[in-house]
Amino acid sequence: MVLVVEDEPEIAEILEGYLRRDGYRTERAADGKAALGLYRAAKPDLVLLDIQLPELDGLEVLRRIRADGNTPVILVTARSEDLDKLLGLELGADDYVTKPFSPREVVARVKAVLRRTNPLESAVTVLRAGPLEIDIERVMARVGASRLELTPTEFRLLETLARTPGRAFTRQELLEAALPDSDALERVIDVHLKNLRKKLEAAGATGLLETVRGVGYRLWVE
């Protein structure tokens, strides 16, 4: 789980959206005191921490997190001065990003820091959801002993859904996950998922891929 500490709601929502799209659970805090409370209660795997916060600033939050343990922390700053960055790293930050930033870059930094700090967890490349098994490294998916013949887009969609079974994804989230650089309309996702559902059902996984009215799609595992 990633704790996003950001007092600007729009930025926080964007960061959470991109992180969730990549399978991370998130919690959000809008000030330093709330961040410390959530940090202690939720025990996140990583903290994405803005420096300029109300109540307690990010560097003070970082000091207290470091006094408590070694949870990875990535600082987010609107300041470009090297002093702030160096101070944050001296206090024990694992990385930093400077606003304005690309959300995809931030997610890439999160993945890189988690790989460095928890190599055993990052080595897991197989997802399982009910009868479904997805080997990310080999780009293969199976239902039981039946191998699914999927297009690259279908595989990316299935991987995204399988990272958080039960969660309903919007068409836009799935579009960004499977076709991030495309100008395709959201309804294109319906076509890909219709074909994916047929392949799952042909392999015996009936009812695994569900349409969620007014939202989008999810993998449903009993």
Side-chain angles (χ1 to χ4, degrees), residues 55 82 84 102 113 127 152 167 205:
E55 303 292 342
D82 287 340
D84 283 336
S102 159
V113 169
L127 300 174
R167 183 197 158 195

Side-chain angles (χ1 to χ4, degrees), residues 154 187-196 217:
E154 290 166 356
R187 290 292 173 181
V188 169
I189 291 299
D190 293 337
V191 177
H192 288 296
L193 287 172
K194 180 180 178 182
N195 293 333
L196 178 57
Y217 298 88

